[in-house]
Amino acid sequence: MFSAYPRRGLSVAAAAAAIVLASCATPEPEPAPPPPPPPPPPAVSLNEAVAQAASIYVAFMREAGTIRAGFDSADAIQAAIRKGASYEPAQLSRGMIAYGSILALQSPEFVQGVRTFAVDPAQRQQMIDRILADPATAATFPGADAAAGLIVDTIGKDSAIMMQIAETVEEDAYTIQGRGDPRRRWATVHITDRVTRLEGAKSLSAVTMLPSAEESARLFAAANNGTGLGMGSARSGPPYTPAVVRALAIAALAALGAGGEDGRANTEALTVEQNSEFCLNMSKLMLFQCLAASRPSYEDMFCVGRHVARDLATCTAQNITPVPLEVPQTAVAGGAPEQPPIAAEAAAASAAATAALNNGG
């Protein structure tokens, strides 16, 4: 019975020793906290200047699309000339590309495809740099064919509308000469102040086009929200025209969060495309040559059909179609040998310009 006390004393001593040793041991370091998650990628952003440029194209094409055959007076023809001449070529070209970029942003497939490269900040910056160095990079992103399809389909409809107007107006330039057409009385009378109406068309072509506030707001919201234009779906594979490539590049910058006000200089530079501007400039030159040569009102009518509506159709089509379309030379509308020539002098004056337009510059 006395032997239990030493054993108990030893146990207490051992426990005390263990406590002392434990207090002397180095504590295990706490695990390091996990690194913070990367910041979320910036939101889709496109600056207002792009929307304003696009509104200029949309508003003008809508107005030009109201030109109709069946003119009932010489004044109505002159009004159509003023309506069709009221664009500055470089502005309209830039507006077309700006509008294309907003159309591309209506494709969720393209926007989501581009934004996969925005998660990592370093990769995002690398993609931005690549687009700025080579806009064609944007055509390689996932969903580019869906975005390009919206551009080609929508602007293609604009082109088709203008081509239909061209055909009906040019045909009416012959119809109005018929002896059974009551409009013949005034349509065959020579225009009294040809120089003033030509200078008027030239002046209208140089006036700075102002954006539509309402249209700009609608397009700005659609660009940054990805909705609002009521787009369907369409696809268009490569090769893409320079205009489509640049529209995709602007949209890609926006999807990467690099198309906002801070990126305005980059987006504005991307809207400049020389072939597109050349086509519209040549169209204006041929319109002026046609007006300079025409004398009666039915010849002015032909100028409206050929060098307003048809040339707008051609230039918009060339912006979205890799192979340039053939443009008939300004000669006899309709081509029937028994019909009288229309603006024959204009045909000779603009033959070289028409050939250049057909060749895309």
Side-chain angles (χ1 to χ4, degrees), residues 154-167 313 316-317:
T154 305
I155 295 180
K157 289 175 182 175
D158 292 343
S159 177
I161 289 170
M162 296 312 301
M163 186 60 74
Q164 183 179 22
I165 293 171
E167 291 173 352
T316 50

Side-chain angles (χ1 to χ4, degrees), residues 81-244:
I81 290 174
R82 291 190 295 271
K83 184 183 294 185
S86 298
Y87 73 86
E88 197 281 317
Q91 274 191 286
L92 191 65
S93 172
R94 293 195 296 269
M96 193 184 311
I97 293 171
Y99 183 46
S101 71
I102 296 174
L103 295 174
L105 287 169
Q106 305 308 292
S107 168
E109 183 179 345
F110 179 66
V111 172
Q112 292 166 12
V114 174
R115 286 184 68 77
T116 60
F117 299 97
V119 177
D120 178 73
Q123 188 180 40
R124 170 181 172 270
Q125 188 58 52
Q126 181 184 32
M127 290 297 105
I128 293 170
D129 293 341
R130 286 181 58 186
I131 292 168
L132 297 177
D134 181 11
T137 301
T140 66
F141 286 128
D145 61 335
L150 295 180
I151 298 171
V152 171
D153 182 65
T154 305
I155 295 180
K157 289 175 182 175
D158 292 343
S159 177
I161 289 170
M162 296 312 301
M163 186 60 74
Q164 183 179 22
I165 293 171
E167 291 173 352
T168 57
V169 170
E170 289 175 24
E171 182 62 29
D172 200 33
Y174 285 116
T175 302
I176 204 169
Q177 298 175 68
R179 294 190 180 277
D181 195 316
R183 301 174 298 164
R184 185 177 187 274
R185 292 192 305 265
W186 55 262
T188 56
V189 175
H190 281 211
I191 298 160
T192 55
D193 198 350
R194 296 168 56 241
V195 174
T196 299
R197 78 126 166 43
L198 174 59
E199 292 306 314
K202 289 181 178 180
S203 297
L204 287 170
S205 300
V207 173
T208 299
M209 305 170 76
L210 299 178
S212 160
E214 181 180 355
E215 197 65 54
S216 296
R218 184 177 75 94
L219 293 169
F220 180 74
N224 289 281
N225 297 334
T227 59
L229 298 186
M231 306 298 297
S233 61
R235 292 189 181 274
S236 179
Y240 301 122
T241 62
V244 171

Side-chain angles (χ1 to χ4, degrees), residues 12-33:
V12 172
I19 292 172
V20 172
L21 290 174
S23 65
C24 295
T26 303
E28 289 289 332
E30 293 186 9

